[in-house]
Amino acid sequence: STLVEVHATLLSTLPGLERAARLRAREVRIRSPRDGHITILEIPQPEIKDALSTYAMAFDAALWRDIHPLIRCSLGCLQSLRMAPYSDATGRMARLIMQGLMHESSIPTLPLAAVLEWNRSAYIASVNRGIRQHDSLAFVRFALSAVEQAIVAGQHMRQAIKPACEQGRNSFCR
């Protein structure tokens, strides 16, 4: 229920509010923009609610204590995309879940969404490979590379905004 509530919040300010907090109501067929291949998602619509509940339990941090948190975060994102449980914004939710799992694991906030957008075609290709070819490792590798890029981008962002932060702090403390 928490994931559905987050979905409602995510879509609350966007057009198409009627799709907020709604699970998909039919089979999903995804046509690849590259080769036209059609993929039918593995989880049929009637099983989505149970699958979402199982998903939430399966990614509990206590179950992953011997696995690096970034692997858990990557697989959490991929599995969310594999289920495609929502009628809209499944990708946004999957990326938000990934960031949420990172936060839960005390991994600092990174500009990961920007890196995924900058590398959109590689991101989509790795998701397709993870889902269509059942190659989760390919997606984990891509996600780890994206995290490395996000660390570098975050360091650049920090340096770029540092003078403005110092100026704001100085004017506030006067």
Side-chain angles (χ1 to χ4, degrees):
S1 64
T2 302
L3 290 173
V4 174
E5 290 171 18
V6 170
H7 186 262
T9 302
L10 181 66
L11 295 182
S12 66
T13 60
L14 300 175
L17 184 58
E18 67 278 356
R19 293 182 295 211
R22 294 193 53 208
L23 299 178
R24 66 177 160 91
R26 61 180 190 261
E27 176 181 86
V28 174
R29 294 172 178 247
I30 301 171
R31 180 183 301 271
S32 169
R34 291 186 301 172
D35 62 8
H37 181 272
I38 295 177
T39 300
I40 300 172
L41 296 183
E42 298 171 9
I43 301 172
Q45 181 276 329
E47 297 173 18
I48 286 295
K49 194 170 188 175
D50 290 338
L52 199 54
S53 177
T54 300
Y55 167 81
M57 290 185 297
F59 284 92
D60 183 323
L63 300 174
W64 293 76
R65 65 180 172 270
D66 295 330
I67 306 293
H68 194 282
L70 288 175
I71 294 173
R72 173 180 166 244
C73 299
S74 302
L75 292 174
C77 177
L78 182 63
Q79 184 59 27
S80 181
L81 292 165
R82 179 177 279 128
M83 287 187 310
Y86 309 103
S87 61
D88 190 18
T90 292
R92 283 176 272 179
M93 276 296 293
R95 292 184 296 277
L96 183 62
I97 287 168
M98 186 175 186
Q99 289 278 8
L101 292 173
M102 290 171 76
H103 176 75
E104 183 182 68
S105 298
S106 300
I107 296 171
T109 301
L110 298 169
L112 188 58
V115 170
L116 294 175
E117 185 60 35
W118 298 335
N119 296 291
R120 186 161 177 76
S121 60
Y123 168 65
I124 290 171
S126 69
V127 168
N128 282 335
R129 187 169 174 188
I131 293 172
R132 287 173 46 187
Q133 297 175 15
H134 302 281
D135 188 357
S136 299
L137 185 57
F139 183 78
V140 170
R141 283 187 191 125
F142 171 81
L144 293 176
S145 174
V147 167
E148 287 177 349
Q149 291 175 38
I151 290 168
V152 172
Q155 289 169 335
H156 286 293
M157 291 169 63
R158 183 173 162 249
Q159 290 301 321
I161 64 171
K162 188 175 183 178
C165 290
E166 289 173 357
Q167 182 181 16
R169 188 179 321 110
N170 292 339
S171 66
F172 182 72
C173 293
R174 285 185 187 166

